[in-house]
Amino acid sequence: MLKRLTPRLIIIILAIAIAGILLYPTIQHEMLSPEERQELREQGKLAELESKIIRRGLDLQGGIHLVLEVDVPTLVNNIARNKSQLFEEVFQQAQSRLNEETTFLNEFLEVANQKELRLVRYFPDRGIQNEEIISSLQEEATDAVRRALEIIRNRVDQFGVSEPTIQKVGNRRIIVELAGIQDPARARELIQTTALLEFKLLKTPEVTNATIQKIDRVLRRRQGDVAEALGAQDTAETDTTIEEGGVAEDEAVSVDELFGGMEDETATDTSEDSTVVVDRQVFEEKPFTALLRNVQGQIGVPQKNRNAVNRILKMEAVQEVIPPDAEFLWSAGPEVLPTQAGGADEFHLLYLVNEEAGLTGGVVTDAQATLGGSGGQAAGQPVVYLDMNAQGSKTWSRLTGANIGRRVAIVLDDKVHMAPNIRSKISQGSTMIEGMANLEEAKDIAIVLRAGALPAPVDIIEERTVGPSLGSDSIQKGTTATLIGLLLVLVFMALYYKLSGFIADFALVLNLIFILAILAALGATLTLPGIAGLILTVGLSVDANVLIFDRIREELRKGKTVRAAIDSGYGNALRTIIDANVTTILAALVLMQFGTGPIKGFAVVLFWGIVSSMFTAIFVTRTIYQMFTENKTVKKLSI
Amino acid sequence: MELFAEANYKILEKRKFTAILSVVIISIGLLSILFHNGLRLGIDFEGGTLMQIQFEESVEISDVRSALEQVGLENASIQQFGAPNEIIIRVLRLEEQEGIKASEEIQATLSENIPGNPFNVRRMEQVGPKIGSELRGAAVLAILSALLGIVLYISIRFEFKFAIAAIVALVHDILITLGVFSLLNLEITLAIIAAFLTIVGYSLNDTIVVFDRVRENLKSLRRATYFNIVNLSINQSLSRTVVTSVTTFLVVLVLYLGGGEVIKNFAFALIIGVVVGTYSSVYVASPVIVEWAKRSESQGKLSKKR
């Protein structure tokens, strides 16, 4: 008679065996000591093992979750050529009309059509009709997302995070998940950096000086605007403490000389943030110059004056006197530089450079971060060495050869990292960048240079960070709660249904093992809501057995034999179990569809928990009953 | 051990009382939502910044508040979270890029203004307003599509009136849970929406077990009245309803008590859901069917009398 039972037992044993095989890597991984883990990592075997285990979600191990969106307006603006006033107007208006329901390109098209702007003027080779051009730009944007995805993947891979998740969602978004990151700000920087590397020639000191003087003149004509630009009602003139006016009387023509004369004028810091440090007499004559300092022959801007200078440079009238082929750029970070008076102060450097880059970073083939060798100027300083491809080397060689004696700014994302003098023609294409705060920053810059520039800037529109300490708290509490919940249910079932309760308990434990095995097979990530799903499944999965057992009890009360009661108990309950579970599965499927990250994790566990509980609670328990009742007549059932 | 073995409670007789009870509870909840100017949506749906910060030593909320005022974040909500040295700061509705700035400003101003008490950021969430409104739309869509799927399934497997009764019970459960959240001024986050959908699934699960029994008894007890059949069905499945609710309640309670602060509200929603869902499957869904049957009976469609 055991014949009927054999196929059932084989299926169960097979299922347990498969679950064991699926869970083995996870158990193996859990047992590893940190040293062994490191060893495996070095052998390159860790990634393989990690691909087979149940991964812990960010909320359980700490990490950062970013949703990035490609900045389409900037992309469009970058592509456009020969921009006119009208174009700028349309662009601005499209951007201001942007809201939650619209996309930039749609608004752009609409405004352009309204104002009868022919886009072909600005976007040649993309069709004639505005509609064609917009759809071509749409493709470009989609493509930009795809390229951004690749580039970010490259950067993250080199950053050295285990098991990063980088995926595209929808048309414009990219999700990046980095587990176990200690420094979210650094990761964010690394991902978001556009990494547009440009080499731009500095304007000659003569042009620079002339421009600064022109700005002075513009400002003097418009004192009121300056006051506004400086941000406070009672501008520098009242707020600034002035010491020893003497030297400033020197009205030297050269900017260098003028700055030199101002050095011992170091105005004292006042506590008000809106104050700037200027020399009053110079300010009246040369309001812009007064904000600047000569720092070792370069234009330095004291920390306090930076915003004021920025605001002045953005003024329309000021923009007009800056040569059309030039732009002002800031240095990458503040530098502590000795002043001529002998002290030291924090300065931002300001450069007037050619707007058009002599060479861009697309030609970079390799970038390495290291500490500058002894003897050189950058001895002991973090530097990045660049190698260029043949074409880049050629351009670089021509550029340097033709401009010996001039300075070239090495610009990353519109920030000048260094601006060395070209001493000789550089023909082999290798170049060094300095000006990084520390070796870590140099390494990150090298990574982004190697991976290439993003086709358009990306905005972070969602960020979730979980510190590692919270993660370990969560996993410990979650696991404890699961075990206690499980234990309570096991005890309750055993008390309430006696021996049959134990059978249900067995099925429940088996169910948990199966769910974990399925999670491992799916390569799923276990999150805190996932653990909640597990606990809920524990509660719900006994439901099938409760339904069956209550039916059996009913049948027994009606006076049926044990075997008949079991048979009709299972028979009657099955329909109910399916109906009841289908609705929960529907809810789980909806959650899987709509949910992001953690909610999806919850839904996945709930879904598979129900599916697996059908097998364990119905098939496995039935088989166990059959083993008991197959060959003998059981008089009494412990239920 | 056996509970409700031969239960024979007069459940349907109490349907007037329970209907009034339900209406009162739901009204209190709705009034509270009105009073609070709508539900308190978390940053998941509104956009904004949330930071959970653990200080080395316990910290005064007022100190944190005055520190945040320095950077113009006087509207931030600051809450103690679990331990006295742990706080949560929420800043709602920020422009996309300002969100990032907010978290940095918060950190900078805290380390400047609360010296000698170093902290670490345990959790930081920043959601742009655009994403927030998208998530809001997605959540509504999810709940609606879940409801639609359920109506279809029950209509096919049972009858349309069963589907409507189940939906009534469901809406009842969700309204009560929302009301409790509003009364306690708890935040609705994405995780809470997940809890709601689980309540939907759970409450239905319970309801359908009863319906299933009704359907079965309608076939086997041809002589009995509709009223008696439904009452009998509820009683017959009462044991199962209670046992399953007890086991689920046990685990959800453990989750609430020991699962950690992060999951507390989620577990709380489930606790309400289990309790209310059990109640509604007994006292809401089935009475709706009986009432419906009675109405159509008076139009001569049903011959079974009370």
Side-chain angles (χ1 to χ4, degrees), chain B residues 107-237:
Chain B
Q107 289 187 57
T109 190
L110 287 184
S111 51
E112 196 176 305
N113 291 300
I114 308 181
N117 194 357
F119 60 86
N120 78 74
V121 177
R122 300 256 273 173
R123 180 161 60 113
M124 198 257 290
E125 295 179 4
Q126 314 211 89
V127 183
K130 200 158 52 170
I131 285 232
S133 80
E134 277 178 27
L135 289 179
R136 209 156 47 203
V140 172
L141 193 72
I143 292 189
L144 287 182
S145 41
L147 288 182
L148 184 73
I150 286 157
V151 170
L152 278 177
Y153 181 78
I154 301 179
S155 299
I156 293 166
R157 291 285 292 163
F158 299 86
E159 274 175 66
F160 183 61
K161 71 169 166 252
F162 283 72
I164 294 305
I167 295 293
V168 168
L170 259 184
V171 172
H172 168 269
D173 297 350
I174 291 202
L175 284 181
I176 290 183
T177 316
L178 279 178
V180 174
F181 264 69
S182 172
L183 274 174
L184 300 176
N185 207 18
L186 296 174
E187 240 180 354
I188 312 284
T189 60
L190 267 184
I192 300 302
I193 298 292
F196 283 165
L197 281 168
T198 315
I199 293 171
V200 167
Y202 180 80
S203 160
L204 267 170
N205 191 311
D206 248 14
T207 306
I208 281 178
V209 171
V210 179
F211 283 1
D212 202 76
R213 205 61 187 245
V214 172
R215 182 176 57 185
E216 188 185 321
N217 286 337
L218 276 175
K219 277 184 205 144
S220 57
L221 307 168
R222 297 186 167 275
R223 297 261 168 80
T225 64
Y226 214 89
F227 184 93
N228 285 340
I229 287 176
V230 174
N231 210 11
L232 176 72
S233 305
I234 298 173
N235 273 304
Q236 280 176 335
S237 41

Side-chain angles (χ1 to χ4, degrees), chain A residues 62-118:
Chain A
I64 175 167
H65 165 101
L66 294 174
V67 181
L68 306 165
E69 190 171 85
V70 169
D71 182 350
V72 179
T74 305
L75 178 73
V76 170
N77 202 17
N78 285 347
I79 297 173
R81 302 257 162 267
N82 313 314
K83 285 169 263 184
S84 67
Q85 188 88 34
L86 183 61
F87 176 88
E88 298 287 352
E89 257 174 53
V90 169
F91 188 83
Q92 295 296 336
Q93 205 179 331
Q95 223 168 356
S96 65
R97 279 173 52 162
L98 209 54
N99 63 35
E100 283 149 11
E101 269 84 50
T102 57
T103 66
F104 173 75
L105 283 173
N106 286 342
E107 292 299 319
F108 189 58
L109 177 64
E110 208 167 290
V111 180
N113 282 342
Q114 260 171 32
K115 303 214 160 186
E116 296 183 351
L117 179 78
R118 305 250 304 130

Side-chain angles (χ1 to χ4, degrees), chain B residues 69-107:
Chain B
E69 275 165 9
Q70 308 270 319
V71 286
L73 293 173
E74 52 277 329
N75 291 330
S77 96
I78 305 157
Q79 242 179 15
Q80 209 162 63
F81 195 68
N85 62 337
E86 203 153 339
I87 55 161
I88 277 200
I89 300 171
R90 287 185 184 83
V91 184
L92 278 187
R93 270 186 202 279
L94 285 165
E95 294 309 314
E96 301 282 339
Q97 282 311 298
E98 269 177 32
I100 307 296
K101 239 173 63 200
S103 80
E104 279 162 7
E105 274 179 358
I106 289 172
Q107 289 187 57

Side-chain angles (χ1 to χ4, degrees), chain A residues 69 173 188 461 463-465 467 469 473 496 536 543 550-551 553-554 557 576 579 599 602, chain B residues 1-3 6 44 96 104 122 124 126 128 130 134 153 157 198 212-213 216 239-240 244:
Chain A
E69 190 171 85
R173 290 193 184 146
R188 202 194 298 144
I461 52 173
E463 173 176 357
R464 291 167 198 268
T465 310
S469 66
D473 271 15
Y496 195 77
L536 199 66
D543 181 51
D550 269 27
R551 280 293 186 147
R553 279 179 170 180
E554 258 180 65
R557 270 200 299 273
T576 315
D579 277 339
I599 291 190
F602 172 77
Chain B
M1 185 169 32
E2 199 164 354
L3 302 165
E6 305 269 358
D44 286 341
E96 301 282 339
E104 279 162 7
R122 300 256 273 173
M124 198 257 290
Q126 314 211 89
K130 200 158 52 170
E134 277 178 27
Y153 181 78
R157 291 285 292 163
T198 315
D212 202 76
R213 205 61 187 245
E216 188 185 321
S239 158
R240 173 269 161 197
T244 302

Side-chain angles (χ1 to χ4, degrees), chain A residues 420-638:
Chain A
N421 266 308
I422 302 172
R423 287 195 207 98
S424 59
K425 183 168 161 176
I426 303 170
S427 45
Q428 65 276 49
S430 40
T431 299
M432 184 183 86
I433 312 177
E434 40 178 89
M436 273 68 68
N438 49 44
L439 191 58
E440 201 164 74
E441 191 189 331
K443 276 183 183 158
D444 288 352
I445 287 178
I447 289 176
V448 296
L449 287 178
R450 275 201 299 270
L454 290 178
V458 290
D459 293 333
I460 294 177
I461 52 173
E462 187 183 333
E463 173 176 357
R464 291 167 198 268
T465 310
V466 177
S469 66
L470 184 65
S472 62
D473 271 15
S474 295
I475 195 160
Q476 191 236 328
K477 282 181 177 155
T479 316
T480 316
T482 311
L483 290 177
I484 294 174
L486 177 68
L487 200 70
L488 284 176
V489 173
L490 292 179
V491 169
F492 178 85
M493 289 297 281
L495 284 177
Y496 195 77
Y497 291 114
K498 297 176 206 120
L499 190 60
S500 297
F502 278 108
I503 295 176
D505 285 351
F506 173 72
L508 181 54
V509 173
L510 208 56
N511 188 21
L512 275 179
I513 292 172
F514 285 165
I515 297 172
L516 291 176
I518 291 169
L519 288 182
L522 292 174
T525 307
L526 192 64
T527 57
L528 203 54
I531 292 186
L534 217 53
I535 298 179
L536 199 66
T537 311
V538 168
L540 281 176
S541 73
V542 293
D543 181 51
N545 283 121
V546 171
L547 278 165
I548 294 166
F549 292 167
D550 269 27
R551 280 293 186 147
I552 295 178
R553 279 179 170 180
E554 258 180 65
E555 302 298 330
L556 286 175
R557 270 200 299 273
K558 282 184 197 159
K560 284 197 184 170
T561 65
V562 168
R563 263 178 76 175
I566 290 174
D567 280 347
S568 56
Y570 272 91
N572 283 327
L574 190 63
R575 193 186 51 240
T576 315
I577 293 169
I578 288 172
D579 277 339
N581 282 345
V582 163
T583 51
T584 313
I585 281 184
L586 277 176
L589 282 176
V590 169
L591 275 181
M592 262 156 105
Q593 204 54 40
F594 130 92
T596 55
I599 291 190
K600 203 169 187 161
F602 172 77
V604 169
V605 174
L606 194 62
F607 176 83
W608 289 107
I610 292 168
V611 171
S612 154
S613 80
M614 303 269 237
F615 176 72
T616 53
I618 302 169
F619 191 83
V620 173
T621 58
R622 181 93 204 250
T623 309
I624 295 172
Y625 273 125
Q626 278 184 4
M627 279 165 65
F628 280 130
T629 57
E630 196 72 11
N631 287 323
K632 45 192 181 278
T633 344
V634 181
K635 290 265 168 52
K636 209 169 169 296
L637 186 64
S638 167

Side-chain angles (χ1 to χ4, degrees), chain A residues 57-65 177-182 184 464-468, chain B residues 122 124:
Chain A
L58 293 182
D59 52 353
L60 295 182
Q61 59 172 326
I64 175 167
H65 165 101
E177 283 190 344
L178 308 174
I181 285 278
Q182 304 286 334
R464 291 167 198 268
T465 310
V466 177
Chain B
R122 300 256 273 173
M124 198 257 290

